[in-house]
Amino acid sequence: MWVFLHRKRFGKNNVILSDIRKPADNVFYSGPFIYADILDYKNLREIVVNNRITWLFHYSALLSAVGEANVPLARAVNITGLHNVLDIAAEHNLRLFVPSTIGAFGPTSPRNPTPDLCIQRPRTIYGVSKVHAELMGEYYHYRYGLDFRCLRYPGIISADSQPGGGTTDYAVQIFHDAMKTGKFQCYLKPDTRLPMMYIDDCLKATLEVMEAPAEALSMRTYNISAMSFVPEELVQEVQKHVPELQVTYKVDEVRQAIADSWPMNFDDRNARRDWGWKHDYDLPELVTTMFSFLGSDSRIAQIN
């Protein structure tokens, strides 16, 4: 998780985590934690002023599938919450990071590869809110001098957290199901290609772009990528570790439509040129690492 990486780098008392719910004990007791509601502007300002905040990482958002199920809440959290953060960051001269996503592109965007600058017409409230965030952050940078920095994440795969309602979460769920039941049902078609990234690469990229000198950045929002695969390719790699894994496909039309409107590959050459982005994990390393964290040895031994 990013909070551990940042606390290791900057000191545990110098990184404050906030949320509307208490995190797991290992996170809660690892350093400062403050209750914060992204929609409570006054409280956010108090937190920034009272704790002498200089960098702000804004991760509050409803993801793609969850957002479609509750558009009013997604609009409030993803857009009104962003406005609160932008105003506070500009007022207090903060360096602000806001993540974007493959969902910021749409069916009319070039998909293979997708460049940093192209047509963006997403068809989810999540995607629309992220395009809004990119443009508003860039506007605040040029209008008010805000040091806004943004990365478009691909699908992020992590052993630390359960799937959270995203369209790419099948690539996390397969590992948990392989461990627990040996059976996995995929909600996307087996040939649905999407860009993906292991969490360690995601954290590394975020820290690198935040530490990059401002003069090295030729833009405020960058694509970053590591690998691109289809469910069938992931299944084949997982079955090298759990050969008895049984896989079926039951397509979720909502998520499939979302995936079909997203990039198949990211063009991230600008990030690699401007601030030296370079990923460490390809698909084989990703799968091996995931099983290592989830304790695959015990599962494989049980099967055997």
Side-chain angles (χ1 to χ4, degrees), residues 2-20:
W2 71 266
V3 68
F4 295 120
L5 176 67
H6 285 66
R7 284 174 175 165
K8 181 178 180 181
R9 178 134 180 117
F10 301 112
K12 69 176 184 178
N13 292 322
N14 295 322
V15 178
I16 299 174
L17 179 66
S18 67
D19 204 337
I20 59 172

Side-chain angles (χ1 to χ4, degrees), residues 39-247:
L39 299 178
D40 188 341
Y41 180 81
K42 181 177 181 292
N43 179 242
L44 292 177
R45 290 185 74 214
E46 290 175 351
I47 291 172
V48 167
V49 172
N50 292 342
N51 294 281
R52 293 178 287 181
I53 301 298
T54 55
W55 288 14
L56 199 159
F57 294 79
H58 172 58
Y59 279 100
S60 300
L62 266 68
L63 300 182
S64 55
V66 175
E68 290 306 291
N70 194 339
V71 172
L73 181 61
R75 187 175 62 234
V77 173
N78 295 14
I79 296 179
T80 303
L82 169 80
H83 291 180
N84 290 341
V85 167
L86 284 170
D87 287 342
I88 291 168
E91 179 184 359
H92 297 283
N93 195 30
L94 308 183
R95 181 173 297 186
L96 174 63
F97 177 82
V98 178
S100 190
T101 167
I102 57 174
F105 298 99
T108 54
S109 304
R111 299 185 65 211
N112 193 18
T114 303
D116 285 302
L117 300 176
C118 65
I119 293 172
Q120 292 177 257
R121 290 294 184 272
R123 292 182 176 175
T124 66
I125 185 60
Y126 177 58
V128 169
S129 69
K130 287 302 184 181
V131 173
H132 179 77
E134 294 176 12
L135 295 176
M136 287 296 290
E138 188 170 328
Y139 172 74
Y140 269 61
H141 171 69
Y142 289 109
R143 180 68 175 82
Y144 302 112
L146 175 64
D147 191 352
F148 172 84
R149 306 184 182 204
C150 179
L151 297 178
R152 292 192 190 104
Y153 291 153
I156 304 301
I157 302 174
S158 169
D160 292 329
S161 58
Q162 294 290 329
T167 300
T168 59
D169 278 349
Y170 84 88
V172 177
Q173 189 66 53
I174 187 173
F175 294 99
H176 293 280
D177 289 355
M179 292 285 298
K180 293 177 182 177
T181 67
K183 297 180 181 180
F184 171 65
Q185 184 175 86
C186 184
Y187 51 74
L188 295 181
K189 296 177 182 177
D191 60 350
T192 305
R193 182 169 298 279
L194 292 168
M196 299 283 188
M197 176 177 286
Y198 183 58
I199 184 64
D200 283 11
D201 277 337
C202 173
L203 299 177
K204 183 178 79 164
T206 304
L207 192 55
E208 286 179 355
V209 76
M210 283 296 278
E211 291 186 317
E215 59 271 17
L217 305 179
S218 64
M219 55 187 64
R220 289 287 131 182
T221 299
Y222 289 90
N223 292 343
I224 53 167
S225 189
M227 66 193 87
S228 180
F229 55 76
V230 303
E232 193 171 36
E233 292 170 339
L234 177 59
V235 167
Q236 291 172 358
E237 196 66 36
V238 169
Q239 286 176 332
K240 293 179 182 178
H241 297 258
V242 185
E244 289 76 11
L245 175 65
Q246 299 176 27
V247 178

